[in-house]
């Protein structure tokens, strides 16, 4: 029995004895214990209940491609390239980067777990199986990098729209690519571009969204973190349903961005902008400065009001921003 099969056997949240698991798999109880430890190492909170056996503290829904497809609006499903669900990848974005030459437009890759999930500036993204969502998509554009200003901010709005479709409130946007709630990071966006500055190009867009976090995972995150379970009173949306809403929001939103750029997302971004009106501390290659957040401009650049009422724009590649 591999870790994947063990997680499926425990998915109902009911205790299952080691003897039963060993008999089903045709292996020893020691082999079952080894896979339990493998899941725990990945961040899955498998509990040992003595003679009752092993259990998860709550039911887990494993990702299922057919269920995700069935939950997509018909018009959206017809526009997708491919949709794949993997048990394990180094990262969903790396997988699409390797296949960029052959991947159809608006193709999606999801993984139950990632061994090298990536965030902005090379930071790692914790990716335990069965708990959260990790997906990437590829979108092709004909007019080059110059027309893609504000894309990461627009994707943040798309993710926010998918979350709000479940009547979950309290989520805000932190420039340039984070979603925060209850004082912690809920989701992150990573956009990687390839191609020509003024010609055909492609964006590989990665999204990590926390549905459930254990206390151990929060400690490992190295920064305050939040999950949808907290925002939804303990019961997050089903993972396949959330994946379908997220895919639909991205597919529709990227089509809108391709036609009109960042403009259709400006108002939604402004309503959820966590930096507007806040005292900020910025650092980058040109040094440090402080000011008050003044929203974003039409390109998605951060606007900061400095001393003497001067407004200065910052691009995401230039600076790191923290609330003072």
């Amino acid at each position: 029995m591999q870790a994947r099969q063990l997680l499926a056997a425990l998915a109902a949240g009911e205790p299952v004895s080691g003897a039963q698991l060993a008999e089903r798999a045709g292996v020893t109880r020691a082999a079952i214990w080894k896979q339990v430890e493998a899941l725990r190492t990945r961040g899955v909170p498998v509990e040992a209940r003595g003679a009752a056996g092993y259990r998860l503290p709550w039911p887990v829904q494993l990702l299922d491609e057919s269920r995700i497809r069935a939950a997509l609006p018909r018009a959206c499903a017809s526009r997708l390239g491919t949709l794949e669900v993997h048990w394990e990848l180094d990262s969903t974005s790396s997988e699409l980067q390797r296949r960029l030459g052959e991947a159809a437009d608006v193709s999606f890759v999801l993984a139950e777990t990632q061994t090298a999930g990536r965030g902005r500036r090379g930071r790692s993204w914790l990716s335990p199986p069965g708990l959260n969502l990790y997906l990437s998509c590829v979108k092709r554009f004909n007019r080059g990098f110059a027309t893609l200003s504000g894309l990461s901010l627009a994707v943040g709005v798309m993710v926010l729209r998918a979350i709000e479709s479940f009547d979950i409130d309290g989520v805000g946007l932190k420039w340039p690519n984070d979603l925060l709630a209850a004082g912690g990071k809920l989701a992150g966006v990573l956009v990687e571009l390839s191609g020509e500055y003024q010609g055909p190009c492609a964006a590989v867009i990665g999204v990590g969204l926390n549905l459930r976090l254990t206390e151990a995972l929060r400690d490992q995150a190295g920064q305050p973190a939040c999950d949808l379970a907290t925002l939804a009173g303990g019961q997050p949306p089903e993972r396949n349903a959330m994946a379908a809403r997220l895919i639909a929001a991205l597919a529709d939103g990227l089509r809108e961005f391709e036609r009109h750029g960042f403009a259709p997302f400006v108002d939604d971004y402004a309503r959820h902008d966590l930096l507007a009106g806040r005292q900020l501390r910025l650092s980058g290659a040109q040094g440090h400065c402080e000011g008050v957040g003044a929203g974003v401009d039409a390109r998605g650049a951060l606007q900061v009001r400095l001393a003497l009422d001067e407004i200065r724009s910052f691009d995401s590649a230039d600076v790191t921003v923290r609330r003072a």
Side-chain angles (χ1 to χ4, degrees):
M1 178 177 283
Q2 299 299 310
R4 179 180 186 177
Q5 285 73 38
L6 177 59
L7 184 60
L10 298 175
E14 299 296 330
V16 185
S17 73
Q20 286 178 301
L21 292 168
E23 184 178 356
R24 290 181 196 173
V27 298
T28 65
R29 292 182 66 178
I32 296 298
W33 178 85
K34 182 178 180 180
Q35 292 305 327
V36 167
E37 289 302 302
L39 283 179
R40 287 172 173 165
T41 298
R42 292 171 179 263
V44 181
V46 181
E47 301 174 348
R49 292 300 182 96
Y54 301 104
R55 61 159 289 181
L56 297 175
W58 11 250
V60 165
Q61 185 184 58
L62 298 182
L63 295 177
D64 184 293
E65 179 184 331
S66 61
R67 289 189 180 186
I68 295 171
R69 285 188 179 277
L72 289 172
R74 184 175 300 177
C76 173
S78 67
R79 293 198 302 269
L80 296 188
T82 59
L83 173 60
E84 299 176 1
V85 174
H86 298 259
W87 163 250
E88 179 182 276
L89 293 170
D90 51 353
S91 90
T92 55
S93 287
S94 295
E95 177 68 10
L96 276 178
Q97 290 284 5
R98 288 188 288 267
R99 296 159 53 184
L100 192 57
E102 64 191 47
D105 193 28
V106 200
S107 289
F108 285 82
V109 169
L110 301 89
E112 276 288 353
T113 182
Q114 301 178 118
T115 58
R118 295 184 288 121
R120 184 171 176 251
R121 296 181 180 270
R123 299 184 182 97
S124 62
W125 187 271
L126 296 175
S127 307
L131 304 184
N132 306 311
L133 286 177
Y134 327 108
L135 65 82
S136 296
C137 68
V138 58
K139 179 71 185 82
R140 301 187 183 280
F141 299 92
N142 294 323
R143 293 179 293 171
F145 297 166
T147 64
L148 303 186
S149 297
L151 177 56
S152 66
L153 280 69
V155 172
V157 172
M158 298 172 207
V159 177
L160 182 63
R161 289 172 177 173
I163 294 170
E164 290 186 333
S165 72
F166 286 96
D167 295 323
I168 295 175
D169 299 319
V171 182
L173 298 164
K174 178 181 178 292
W175 184 93
N177 56 358
D178 289 340
L179 286 81
L180 276 60
K185 187 166 180 175
L186 177 69
V189 172
L190 178 66
V191 176
E192 299 172 295
L193 303 178
S194 61
E196 301 178 21
Y197 185 77
Q198 294 183 323
C201 66
V204 172
I205 300 160
V207 176
L209 174 61
N210 297 329
L211 274 70
R212 283 194 185 274
L213 293 175
T214 64
E215 287 305 314
L217 288 170
R218 292 175 192 270
D219 291 341
Q220 290 178 47
Q223 61 179 313
C226 186
D227 58 16
L228 290 183
T230 298
L231 300 179
Q235 185 58 49
E238 291 188 345
R239 292 176 75 225
N240 288 308
M242 185 72 246
R245 297 279 181 95
L246 187 52
I247 288 168
L250 288 168
D252 292 344
L254 289 169
R255 189 183 190 195
E256 190 175 23
F257 185 92
E258 183 178 28
R259 293 174 173 177
H260 306 293
F262 184 52
F265 304 91
V266 169
D267 290 344
D268 276 350
Y269 193 92
R271 279 194 294 272
H272 297 90
D273 186 351
L274 293 174
L275 300 186
R278 301 294 296 269
Q279 189 71 32
L280 306 177
R281 184 180 296 113
L282 300 93
S283 58
Q286 297 182 353
H288 306 270
C289 69
E290 292 191 6
V292 177
V296 299
D297 65 15
R299 300 183 303 108
L302 177 65
Q303 302 280 88
V304 179
R305 189 179 304 277
L306 304 177
L308 304 178
D309 219 29
E310 173 193 358
I311 298 290
R312 183 175 170 187
S313 296
F314 295 87
D315 290 313
S316 62
D318 296 342
V319 295
T320 297
V321 181
R322 289 181 170 83
R323 288 179 282 193

